[in-house]
Structure formats: structure tokens, C-alpha cells
């Protein structure tokens, strides 16, 4: 037997290999004590054999092999040049162990194949990174390659994954474990609104704040596949990889994206904190990491395609007065782009709308103390465009394909397409002091193709090298391209095209399982939401936006005096607190009232926090149930203040102490009884500040 062990202070990952065969993960959970006998551990976990079984249980290895009579989904599916299936049988070559990193190398001599699995742990964030690579001596066709396969926990009744749609991303689904496969194959060609590449597996009794939970996120911006399978013998496996069949050309080397995995003994929040910190501290690369996140203004829902210089200057002036620090010029500035039917890929400033170019607007924005950003949709092309008329062959897919938003996708695997886009985008960025690019992606691909994603990565990497001062936002009709792969190249995500604060409250709550404050764009939308028709109070809209990287996306000229005052005050509060909140942990609270969606953003040192308690619906009971907090020091005392107590309705007729003054309470009380908040209407937010005294 061979054994390998990785530990990071919270969890241990133990792999064992019988002879030269591929290893299995034989333990993953709370960190084991030093000196644990790994041979005894492996022997103790060996399964019995009974009637109707093979004489030995096939290994649930990190790449399950059909040649081992494995009865479930294999970890690798290959064909040779003639189309014949290849069934490898890998044997051990070597292992490299260095600190928190383990690389295992296996080979199939008969087929000329080499398999490499890499594991790395992070002692700061407690996230395991795992990646697999396959190399061949001759070209082969790859149908499926899983990242290293992890076992599913036995004491789990259900798994939570994430579905969605445009304006309704990050909807959490609970699926019971049962014999067979839960297979999710996202073939949209991008990460997708429909299937975020993440999975949470709670053990029995786990909640947001307590219990053992396992989490996964596959860092790939194209289509992905997830397999969660329960075998007939009861074992469970979890696989992630690129969508099956998306490597459309034969090759001699293929690799999975990185699979990020974490064990938590503090419920879903333990996974969330690990993912938030890992993304923020290990994956993101801000051009100026010490610069506070600026208050963002985007003009899309103010003007759409109707660009008018005097009007844009007036809007910028009003946005700056409200507290905006960045102005982003959205779609409509280029070509003859008067609607969404034309000009995509004609990345030249429209002289009709900007007779003197973009310079006068940028100068005005800078004079107001704001930086300037601009919108592109580089991977897309309208059939009604100069570029399409010259290069129809640059479009991906057949001529008679179904259009999406009146557009096709460009073939990003072609070097000449990437060169063209680099030159056109680079010309704008070179000619103007642009601080920020909103990079959009408004249609699914006509077919899923891994080369498309790699081409996009290559273009972004090239632009970032040439223009290292420019920040990039990943937008794909809102939340259609959010994953740890794209966030290794970008700096912010537009979480949803919905600026409906009620919908955003729910979307943000679930997205925070994976995304930290600093990358999650959240904007105050117009009084009447353009995607839902709902009319919401400015206080609710402002506080929901203040939960994340705050911005505005509406016509500021619609605000009355009171609305402008409220928005300015909330924005000023956000600016005062953004530095510590940018490094805070976002903790989901277990609310006794299903109508209340609540979170606690807690500073790194635990010394201060803010609670956002949003009421998403009418409660079934008359008055609010106490809201338990989490991760406080039981014996410490905290000064608690209801920040917006002046927002209480006249129907809130009682005298809870928080309505009139701060109160000092122990962490023990706050975690086991909880905050007693005033009554409120639905679609309202209470904001509570806490500080250790």
C-alpha cells in the first residue's frame, strides 16, 4: 500500500493506493492527529464483500477506471484516431511531495497515456485545489476528463446545487441522494445562468452556521459537467470537468480546470468563508489592490442606446453628487449602434453621437473626480456589421443558426479574430484614459466548445498584460459567466441584470457562498425596476446595494429630494465602512422566520460586524422572531446599534430597546437568543452595527 496525506490545520485528505493502482481518497474530514497510522486507517475503511458482488470491491479512485470493473461513471473517456474506445489501466510512476502540494504520476504503457493528478492545500483559506492532466503519445479524441474525483459523504441526505435564469441567478436546489446519477451537463458554452459550477453537500443536521459540510467549485468559464453518483454498494462519488465532448479536435494533451474543494465543520458558512477568502486573497489580482473599491455608476438604465453628450454630462454630474466615483459608459457608443440589431464588432467611436470623440465626456467625468469605464462585448458580432460583411467566416457556428439578441458569437479559437479584437479594443484603451472595462457576453454559444473559452482567456490575458492598470468586469447578461476561472482574469462580476432589490437580496445571499464583497457588483436601480415592474422604496434599494460593491444604475434625475438624501447618506456610510467590509466574512444567518433573509458581515479580527436583515415577504407570525448571530466570542460583550431605526413604520408601536438606543450584550446571548428587531413591512431592511467592547 502507498499512502499520501495533506492537511491544512482544519482538514485532512488521505489517499491510499493498493499496489500500483490509482489511489482512492480514503479519508476527507476534520484534521487527523499527528502520527495517525495511515495503513490501519485504510484497512479499517475497507469494505466487506457479500453475495452478488465481485470478489474485490472496485476502487473508487481519483479517476475511476472501467478496466477495474468500476460500475459507475468513469473519470476518463477516450477514443483513438479511428474512433475506438480506449480503456486505460494506469500504473504508478512517481509521486512528488513538497509542502502543501502533491503530484501523482501514472502511466498506461500499452496506450501511451500519462495521467497526472495535482493536489494543493492552503493553510490560510482551507481550500484544496485539484487538477488532472492526460497526455498521449499519439493524437486522441477526449470525450470526458474529470478533475480528481472526491468521495461524497455517507451521512448526507441531499446535495445543494445552483440553477437559475436571466435575472434569477443562484437559485439553490436540494436534491436527495439516491441510487444512480445526478448529472448536470451545461452545454451553453459559458459558465451559465442555468447551472453555476458549484455544489454544497451538507451532512445530516447541518445548517448555515453549524454541522459538517463539503463544498466544490469548478473554475472553468465554458460548459461544465457535474456528476454526483451513488453506487449500488452505497459509495458516492463527485466529479467535475468540462462539458462532455467539448474538446472537438484530437490532441495529445488535455487538462481539467482546477476543482476547488473544502470541508467545513461550521456549516455552509465554513465553506463560504473559505471560498470567499481564497478567491479574494489567492485568485484575484487587482491592478491597485490598496485602492478602495470605488462607488460605481453605470448609465445603461438611464439612457440605453440614446447617447447625447449634454445629457450624459448632466447625469455624470448628478451621479458624482450622490457619491459615485466611477462612471461607466455602456452599450451604444460605437459604430451605428442605435439598437441591439447592429454594429457589434465595429469597435469605432460613433461620430454622430460623439463628433469630438470620447475625450470631452471623459474630461468632464475626470473633472468631477470620477474615473472612466467603457462597455465592450468582444466575443460577439451582429450580422448587420461592417466586420461581419467583410469576414462572415469569423462567426462561430452555421449560417442558419438561431440568433441570440440579434447576434452571433465570434470564433475565439482563431488567432486572427483575437488579433483583430486586441487591436480594436487596444486602440480605444490607448487613446483614452480608461480605468475600467465592462466585458459583456449576451448570448449562449451555438455549440459548447472548450477552445472558445481558452481563446477568450488568451485575449483577456493579452489585454491585461498590455493595459495592466485597467480593471475588467465579467458580465454575461448579468450572472452568466461567474466562476473562479474568469475571476483569475477579471476583478468584478455583474451578479444579475435584475436591479430589483428584492430579487437581488436572494441572489446575493446565495452567491455569497462563493463570492466575497469586493467582486460582487450591486447597484441601486430605478424606482420602477425595468425587469420586474416592481416599485421599491429607496431605502431598501440602497441598503441591498450597500451589502456588496455598491453602485447606481438608474437616471439620477428621477430622484426627488428625499430619495437623493437617503441615497447620499447610505453611500457615505458605505464609503466609511468599505475598507473593513472588503475583507469581512459574509456569514449567512439561520433565520427563524423564513420571510427574513439575513447575513452578518464580520471583520477579520471579529471585533466588529454589521447585520443586514431583509424582509422578503410577509411573516406568518405577528412580530419578528429573534435573529441569532454567529461566530462571536461567547464571553465577549458587544455594543449593538440599530443604524436605521428612524425607518420604523408608525405601525411599529412598541418599544424594543434598539428602536431608541444602543445596547451592550454578550456574544453568548446574541448567538443563542438573538437580536429582537422592530416590526417592519415586507421589502424593508434593518441594518445593525456591532462592536466588541
Amino acid at each position: 500500500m502507498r499512502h499520501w496525506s495533506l492537511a491544512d490545520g482544519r482538514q485532512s485528505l488521505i489517499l491510499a493506493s493498493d499496489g500500483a493502482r490509482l489511489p482512492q481518497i480514503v479519508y476527507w474530514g476534520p484534521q487527523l492527529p499527528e502520527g495517525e497510522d495511515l495503513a490501519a486507517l485504510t484497512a479499517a475503511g475497507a469494505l466487506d464483500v457479500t453475495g452478488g458482488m465481485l470478489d474485490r470491491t472496485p476502487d473508487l479512485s481519483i479517476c475511476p477506471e472501467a478496466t477495474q470493473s468500476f460500475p459507475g461513471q468513469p473519470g476518463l473517456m477516450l477514443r483513438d484516431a479511428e474512433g475506438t474506445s480506449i480503456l486505460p489501466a494506469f500504473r504508478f510512476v512517481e509521486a512528488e511531495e513538497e509542502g502543501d502540494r502533491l503530484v501523482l504520476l501514472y502511466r498506461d504503457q500499452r496506450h501511451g497515456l500519462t495521467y497526472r493528478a495535482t493536489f494543493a492545500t492552503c493553510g490560510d483559506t482551507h481550500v484544496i485545489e485539484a487538477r488532472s492532466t492526460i497526455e498521449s503519445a499519439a493524437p486522441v479524441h477526449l470525450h470526458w476528463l474529470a478533475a480528481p474525483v472526491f468521495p461524497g459523504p455517507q451521512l448526507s441526505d441531499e446535495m445543494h446545487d445552483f440553477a437559475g435564469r436571466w435575472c434569477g441567478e443562484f437559485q439553490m436546489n436540494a436534491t436527495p441522494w439516491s441510487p444512480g446519477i445526478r448529472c448536470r451537463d451545461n452545454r451553453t458554452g459559458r459558465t451559465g445562468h442555468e447551472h453555476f459550477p458549484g455544489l454544497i453537500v451538507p451532512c445530516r443536521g447541518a445548517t448555515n452556521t453549524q454541522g459538517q459540510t463539503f463544498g466544490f467549485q469548478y473554475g472553468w468559464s465554458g460548459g461544465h459537467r457535474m456528476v454526483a453518483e451513488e453506487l449500488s454498494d452505497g459509495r458516492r462519488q463527485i466529479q467535475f470537468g468540462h462539458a462532455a465532448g467539448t474538446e472537438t479536435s484530437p490532441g495529445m494533451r488535455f487538462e481539467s480546470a482546477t476543482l476547488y474543494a473544502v470541508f467545513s465543520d461550521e456549516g455552509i458558512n465554513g465553506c463560504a468563508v473559505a471560498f470567499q477568502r481564497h478567491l479574494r486573497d489567492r485568485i484575484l489580482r487587482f491592478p491597485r489592490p490598496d485602492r478602495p473599491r470605488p462607488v460605481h455608476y453605470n448609465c445603461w438604465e438611464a439612457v440605453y442606446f440614446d447617447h447625447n453628450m449634454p445629457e450624459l454630462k448632466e447625469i455624470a454630474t448628478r451621479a458624482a453628487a450622490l457619491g459615485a466615483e466611477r462612471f461607466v459608459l455602456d452599450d451604444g457608443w460605437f459604430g451605428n449602434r442605435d439598437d441591439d440589431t447592429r454594429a457589434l464588432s465595429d469597435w469605432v467611436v460613433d461620430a454622430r453621437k460623439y463628433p469630438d470623440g470620447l475625450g470631452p465626456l471623459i474630461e468632464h467625468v475626470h473633472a468631477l473626480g470620477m474615473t472612466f469605464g467603457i462597455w465592450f462585448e468582444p466575443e460577439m458580432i451582429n450580422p448587420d456589421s461592417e466586420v461581419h460583411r467583410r469576414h462572415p467566416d469569423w462567426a462561430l457556428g452555421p449560417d442558419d443558426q438561431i440568433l441570440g439578441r440579434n447576434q452571433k458569437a465570434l470564433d475565439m479559437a482563431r488567432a486572427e479574430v483575437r488579433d483583430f479584437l486586441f487591436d480594436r479594443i487596444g486602440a480605444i484603451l490607448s487613446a483614452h484614459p480608461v480605468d475600467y472595462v465592462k466585458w459583456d457576453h449576451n448570448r449562449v454559444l451555438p455549440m459548447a466548445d472548450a477552445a472558445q473559452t481558452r481563446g477568450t482567456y488568451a485575449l483577456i490575458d493579452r489585454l491585461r498584460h498590455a493595459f495592466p492598470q485597467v480593471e475588467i468586469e465579467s458580465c454575461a447578461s448579468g450572472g452568466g459567466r461567474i466562476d473562479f476561472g474568469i475571476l483569475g482574469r477579471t476583478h468584478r462580476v455583474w451578479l444579475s441584470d435584475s436591479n430589483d432589490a428584492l430579487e437581488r437580496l436572494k441572489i446575493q445571499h446565495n452567491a455569497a457562498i462563493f463570492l466575497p464583497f469586493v467582486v460582487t457588483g450591486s447597484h441601486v436601480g430605478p424606482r420602477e425596476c425595468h425587469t420586474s415592474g416592481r416599485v421599491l422604496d429607496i431605502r431598501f434599494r440602497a441598503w441591498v446595494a450597500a451589502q456588496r460593491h455598491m453602485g447606481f444604475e438608474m437616471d439620477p434625475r428621477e430622484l426627488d429630494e428625499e430619495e437623493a438624501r437617503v441615497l447620499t447618506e447610505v453611500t457615505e456610510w458605505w464609503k466609511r465602512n468599505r475598507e473593513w467590509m472588503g475583507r469581512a466574512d459574509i456569514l449567512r444567518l439561520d433565520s427563524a422566520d423564513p420571510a427574513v433573509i439575513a447575513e452578518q458581515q464580520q471583520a477579520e479580527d471579529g471585533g466588529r460586524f454589521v447585520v443586514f436583515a431583509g424582509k422578503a415577504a410577509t411573516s406568518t407570525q405577528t412580530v419578528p422572531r429573534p435573529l441569532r448571530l454567529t461566530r462571536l466570542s461567547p464571553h465577549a460583550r458587544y455594543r449593538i446599534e440599530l443604524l436605521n431605526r428612524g425607518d420604523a413604520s408608525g405601525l411599529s408601536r412598541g418599544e424594543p430597546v434598539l428602536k431608541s438606543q444602543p445596547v451592550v450584550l454578550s456574544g453568548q446571548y446574541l448567538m443563542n437568543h438573538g437580536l429582537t428587531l422592530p416590526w417592519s413591512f415586507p421589502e424593508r431592511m434593518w441594518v445593525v452595527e456591532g462592536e466588541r467592547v
Side-chain angles (χ1 to χ4, degrees):
M1 296 291 294
R2 293 183 172 89
H3 297 92
W4 297 277
S5 174
L6 289 167
D8 61 14
R10 175 196 287 180
Q11 62 191 338
S12 290
L13 185 74
I14 310 298
L15 297 95
S17 172
D18 187 353
R21 296 200 302 269
L22 285 167
Q24 306 179 79
I25 295 175
V26 295
Y27 177 85
W28 181 30
Q31 182 156 320
L32 298 170
E34 286 192 28
E36 182 84 40
D37 187 333
L38 299 186
L41 178 152
T42 303
L47 297 179
D48 199 359
V49 175
T50 186
M53 296 179 67
L54 297 173
D55 295 338
R56 179 177 62 79
T57 304
D59 297 339
L60 199 171
S61 75
I62 58 173
C63 185
E65 296 169 299
T67 52
Q68 288 291 316
S69 299
F70 183 72
Q73 166 82 29
L76 177 65
M77 298 181 188
L78 287 172
R79 292 179 290 112
D80 65 19
E82 284 73 42
T84 303
S85 292
I86 299 173
L87 300 176
F90 291 108
R91 293 296 179 262
F92 178 76
V93 176
E94 63 179 4
E96 300 175 17
E97 298 180 78
E98 184 177 351
D100 59 2
R101 188 168 180 268
L102 169 66
V103 181
L104 300 172
L105 190 66
Y106 283 74
R107 188 163 293 139
D108 177 340
Q109 296 287 2
R110 179 187 172 199
H111 296 102
L113 299 173
T114 300
Y115 174 82
R116 178 180 288 102
T118 303
F119 297 87
T121 58
C122 177
D124 296 330
T125 66
H126 307 294
V127 169
I128 298 168
E129 297 185 354
R131 181 183 287 261
S132 59
T133 305
I134 190 79
E135 294 179 341
S136 175
V140 292
H141 296 271
L142 177 70
H143 180 72
W144 169 245
L145 172 63
V149 175
F150 283 74
Q154 292 288 299
L155 197 64
S156 172
D157 297 319
E158 61 185 22
M159 64 194 88
H160 297 165
D161 60 5
F162 301 84
R165 56 169 172 79
W166 178 68
C167 290
E169 296 86 344
F170 285 95
Q171 299 175 24
M172 187 182 286
N173 298 314
T175 303
W177 285 100
S178 62
I181 283 181
R182 162 71 165 161
C183 181
R184 190 181 65 202
D185 209 2
N186 168 24
R187 309 193 63 77
T188 64
R190 60 183 183 182
T191 319
H193 300 83
E194 304 81 4
H195 302 296
F196 175 76
L199 180 68
I200 298 294
V201 186
C203 292
R204 192 172 299 157
T207 69
N208 286 321
T209 61
Q210 62 186 4
Q212 293 191 350
T213 306
F214 297 81
F216 303 87
Q217 204 283 315
Y218 188 62
W220 175 244
S221 308
H224 78 278
R225 190 183 207 205
M226 181 204 81
V227 170
E229 182 177 21
E230 182 174 302
L231 305 175
S232 61
D233 58 32
R235 291 179 299 170
R236 295 164 172 173
Q237 65 163 333
I238 294 168
Q239 298 187 10
F240 275 92
H242 297 4
T246 54
E247 296 290 357
T248 57
S249 300
M252 299 173 67
R253 186 179 189 278
F254 302 95
E255 65 177 348
S256 74
T258 299
L259 176 61
Y260 300 88
V262 63
F263 162 77
S264 161
D265 56 7
E266 296 179 286
I268 293 175
N269 282 341
C271 295
V273 168
F275 285 134
Q276 291 167 24
R277 292 182 178 184
H278 198 77
L279 177 57
R280 185 191 67 208
D281 299 339
R282 293 300 186 99
I283 296 175
L284 287 170
R285 293 171 290 162
F286 285 110
R288 284 159 284 185
D290 296 332
R291 185 178 74 166
R293 299 284 77 213
V295 177
H296 195 97
Y297 178 77
N298 184 289
C299 72
W300 175 244
E301 295 199 25
V303 300
Y304 294 102
F305 297 102
D306 186 15
H307 289 212
N308 173 284
M309 182 67 74
E311 190 173 55
L312 285 169
K313 286 183 175 180
E314 181 187 0
I315 289 170
T317 300
R318 291 185 181 236
L322 292 167
E325 298 164 309
R326 171 191 287 150
F327 180 95
V328 178
L329 184 67
D330 212 286
D331 192 358
W333 58 267
F334 56 93
N336 61 342
R337 182 79 162 171
D338 295 330
D339 53 40
D340 66 4
T341 67
R342 68 193 75 182
L344 272 183
S345 72
D346 295 341
W347 301 113
V348 177
V349 177
D350 184 349
R352 300 171 306 154
K353 299 175 183 178
Y354 299 93
D356 299 314
L358 296 175
L361 177 60
I362 296 174
E363 291 168 8
H364 180 74
V365 165
H366 285 171
L368 293 168
M370 295 189 290
T371 58
F372 183 80
I374 194 166
W375 180 94
F376 287 94
E377 193 173 2
E379 298 147 90
M380 299 296 156
I381 187 169
N382 286 127
D384 184 3
S385 66
E386 293 302 318
V387 173
H388 191 277
R389 282 185 278 273
R390 291 199 306 270
H391 301 285
D393 56 314
W394 283 7
L396 183 69
D399 292 339
D400 62 349
Q401 65 183 271
I402 299 172
L403 300 183
R405 204 182 183 231
N406 304 296
Q407 63 197 49
K408 300 178 182 179
L410 286 166
D411 186 348
M412 298 299 293
R414 299 177 67 147
E416 64 268 33
V417 170
R418 298 196 301 272
D419 289 344
F420 164 79
L421 291 170
F422 178 83
D423 291 343
R424 285 291 177 93
I425 298 170
I428 298 294
L429 300 185
S430 296
H432 305 288
V434 174
D435 175 77
Y436 188 85
V437 166
K438 179 181 176 182
W439 187 298
D440 217 335
H441 187 292
N442 277 310
R443 68 152 291 170
V444 299
L445 301 187
M447 75 281 288
D449 187 345
Q452 183 79 1
T453 302
R454 287 192 291 268
T456 297
Y457 282 172
L459 175 60
I460 296 175
D461 290 345
R462 186 177 174 189
L463 285 164
R464 286 200 61 197
H465 179 76
F467 304 97
Q469 80 285 0
V470 175
E471 291 190 15
I472 301 175
E473 172 186 299
S474 177
C475 174
S477 297
R481 186 158 61 187
I482 297 175
D483 61 85
F484 286 15
I486 201 68
L487 280 164
R489 297 165 168 85
T490 59
H491 311 95
R492 189 179 194 257
V493 297
W494 182 224
L495 191 59
S496 177
D497 273 349
S498 174
N499 271 330
D500 182 310
L502 182 61
E503 294 176 351
R504 301 270 320 189
L505 178 70
K506 302 170 187 177
I507 295 168
Q508 290 175 180
H509 189 64
N510 289 339
I513 296 173
F514 302 95
L515 302 178
F517 172 100
V518 290
V519 303
T520 309
S522 186
H523 298 173
V524 182
R527 188 182 298 121
E528 180 179 347
C529 178
H530 294 187
T531 56
S532 71
R534 192 178 280 119
V535 176
L536 294 167
D537 184 83
I538 187 63
R539 292 164 179 80
F540 187 59
R541 286 183 279 148
W543 283 119
V544 169
Q547 289 182 280
R548 300 295 184 267
H549 182 190
M550 188 176 188
F552 320 139
E553 189 163 346
M554 42 73 170
D555 190 337
R557 296 171 297 182
E558 79 169 25
L559 298 172
D560 62 29
E561 187 174 331
E562 172 66 6
E563 289 173 324
R565 181 191 65 79
V566 169
L567 182 51
T568 302
E569 288 178 358
V570 174
T571 303
E572 289 174 350
W573 176 89
W574 188 86
K575 288 180 178 179
R576 291 194 301 271
N577 290 275
R578 62 183 162 187
E579 188 169 352
W580 74 265
M581 288 172 66
R583 296 198 61 80
D585 298 322
I586 303 173
L587 307 170
R588 294 156 56 96
L589 295 179
D590 291 325
S591 175
D593 183 351
V596 174
I597 298 174
E599 69 181 33
Q600 175 181 326
Q601 296 191 20
Q602 183 154 311
E604 280 185 297
D605 63 3
R608 65 189 303 183
F609 59 84
V610 59
V611 172
F612 296 94
K615 195 168 183 182
T618 302
S619 299
T620 56
Q621 76 286 344
T622 306
V623 294
R625 301 182 191 275
L627 179 64
R628 289 188 179 192
L629 306 191
T630 189
R631 285 201 175 194
L632 303 178
S633 299
H635 303 296
R637 291 164 65 79
Y638 297 85
R639 181 182 184 274
I640 305 297
E641 182 171 9
L642 183 59
L643 181 65
N644 58 336
R645 57 178 179 257
D647 294 346
S649 158
L651 284 177
S652 172
R653 298 183 295 129
E655 293 299 331
V657 67
L658 286 176
K659 281 179 66 176
S660 57
Q661 64 186 42
V663 63
V664 176
L665 298 165
S666 70
Q668 192 78 280
Y669 177 85
L670 291 167
M671 290 189 292
N672 290 283
H673 181 275
L675 291 172
T676 301
L677 295 168
W679 181 90
S680 72
F681 288 114
E683 300 168 6
R684 299 292 190 272
M685 176 87 77
W686 289 124
V687 183
V688 179
E689 292 183 313
E691 188 168 7
R692 191 164 51 206
V693 296

